[in-house]
Amino acid sequence: SSGINAEYGGVDIEEVAERTPERVHKIPVDIFEGVSDEVALDLARKLEFVGGAVEQAAAEIKKLYELFLGVDATQVEVNPFGLTDESEVVCFDAKINFDDNAQFRQKEVFQMEDTSESDPRELEAAQSDLNYIAMEGNIACLVNGAGLAMATMDIIQLHGGSPANFLDVGGKVQEAQVEKAFNILTRDPGVKAIFVNIFGGIVDCKVIAVGIIGACQKTKLELPLVVRLKGSNMEAARELLAGSGLQIQAHDQLNEAAEAAVQCVM
């Protein structure tokens, strides 16, 4: 980990870094040793604290690092960090980002999240361990893996289409989650086609196929559905889809599948 600090902050800290890089101090921190007294005092002086305020600032810097570790933060941004009229060192304002992967041990922190302005579909997806972000296109995507999801959206756009969402079902997806994903996707009135793109490394393609069939039957899907399944158990998955009686366009190649999905909405 590391700390980045500047004597002059404000909303234009990037401009400070560009024009006067000598005023920005980056301090590498050994995660096993933490922030030593020596490092904290040196940093306090570089931030132009003087007199008794130096030790106060150093103590605050050490506490900030302890906070950073204690709440599994990915970033603790304090701006401004300065002196009161009574010469007391204070963190006047701060922004903290938390590691989503640490939610299981930071329950108290995550319970404070304000979801009032969040998309209800995104919250519903998160409850089923699905990573869903709504977009403005008309081709819904169901993919495993964030990288593949991004590539899927890119290739849809390459063929002149527009993705309706980012949806990563993850590596441990089960049939019920696939059904939940379809339920969320089909409730979007802007969606005109669904594109399922699965690479079965960790994911079992057969599990996806069973989930697709169940979801289509329960939602009485009428939208065009394009499916590409590659990898683990893909032959068994394809046989299930072929024998389901559902109107599914199955493709082996990503490029062909994406092109087919785009054609469905043209």
Side-chain angles (χ1 to χ4, degrees):
S1 58
S2 63
I4 300 176
N5 310 268
E7 300 103 296
Y8 301 92
V11 293
D12 296 322
I13 183 64
E14 292 83 3
E15 187 177 331
V16 173
E18 183 178 347
R19 293 187 177 183
T20 53
E22 70 278 2
R23 290 179 174 169
V24 178
H25 313 289
K26 185 174 182 179
I27 314 296
V29 179
D30 187 315
I31 197 167
F32 296 107
E33 295 181 4
V35 178
S36 67
D37 291 341
E38 181 182 359
V39 168
L41 288 167
D42 180 57
L43 183 54
R45 295 187 184 99
K46 286 179 178 177
L47 293 177
E48 298 187 356
F49 287 101
V50 294
V54 172
E55 290 192 359
Q56 282 190 63
E60 289 296 314
I61 290 167
K62 294 188 69 172
K63 288 177 184 177
L64 284 170
Y65 185 71
E66 290 170 7
L67 170 69
F68 174 80
L69 294 180
V71 297
D72 288 295
T74 56
Q75 173 182 288
V76 175
E77 179 182 333
V78 178
N79 188 9
F81 178 49
L83 284 170
T84 66
D85 292 338
E86 292 76 29
S87 298
E88 182 180 2
V89 177
V90 175
C91 299
F92 289 97
D93 194 11
K95 179 175 74 175
I96 305 177
N97 293 340
F98 303 95
D99 186 348
D100 290 339
N101 295 313
Q103 187 168 356
F104 71 98
R105 65 183 179 200
Q106 299 292 346
K107 291 183 173 61
E108 186 177 349
V109 170
F110 281 87
Q111 283 173 355
M112 292 188 286
E113 182 181 7
D114 180 6
T115 60
S116 60
E117 297 184 6
S118 299
D119 187 320
R121 293 169 298 176
E122 295 179 10
L123 297 175
E124 184 181 352
Q127 290 173 356
S128 296
D129 292 325
L130 302 171
N131 188 0
Y132 172 87
I133 301 173
M135 300 174 70
E136 297 181 354
N138 56 9
I139 300 176
C141 304
L142 189 157
V143 190
N144 67 307
L148 185 59
M150 295 295 289
T152 301
M153 292 191 296
D154 285 345
I155 199 166
I156 285 173
Q157 291 177 307
L158 180 66
H159 287 289
S162 181
N165 63 275
F166 170 101
L167 199 165
D168 171 17
V169 298
K172 298 179 180 179
V173 62
Q174 298 299 313
E175 297 161 16
Q177 290 169 288
V178 176
E179 292 185 13
K180 172 59 75 174
F182 263 77
N183 184 271
I184 293 171
L185 296 177
T186 54
R187 294 208 311 269
D188 183 343
V191 168
K192 305 303 179 186
I194 298 177
F195 181 21
V196 177
N197 183 24
I198 298 295
F199 179 77
I202 300 174
V203 172
D204 187 334
C205 290
K206 187 177 178 181
V207 170
I208 298 292
V210 172
I212 290 173
I213 293 169
C216 290
Q217 292 172 342
K218 289 181 180 179
T219 61
K220 297 180 180 179
L221 185 72
E222 296 180 356
L223 297 171
L225 175 59
V226 178
V227 177
R228 173 184 178 261
L229 301 175
K230 278 284 191 180
S232 176
N233 245 347
M234 65 181 183
E235 295 300 335
R238 289 171 181 171
E239 289 177 9
L240 282 172
L241 294 177
S244 68
L246 298 169
Q247 296 298 313
I248 297 174
Q249 297 185 44
H251 293 270
D252 286 337
Q253 301 302 319
L254 175 55
N255 192 58
E256 294 175 0
E259 189 172 11
V262 173
Q263 287 301 316
C264 288
V265 300
M266 289 301 187

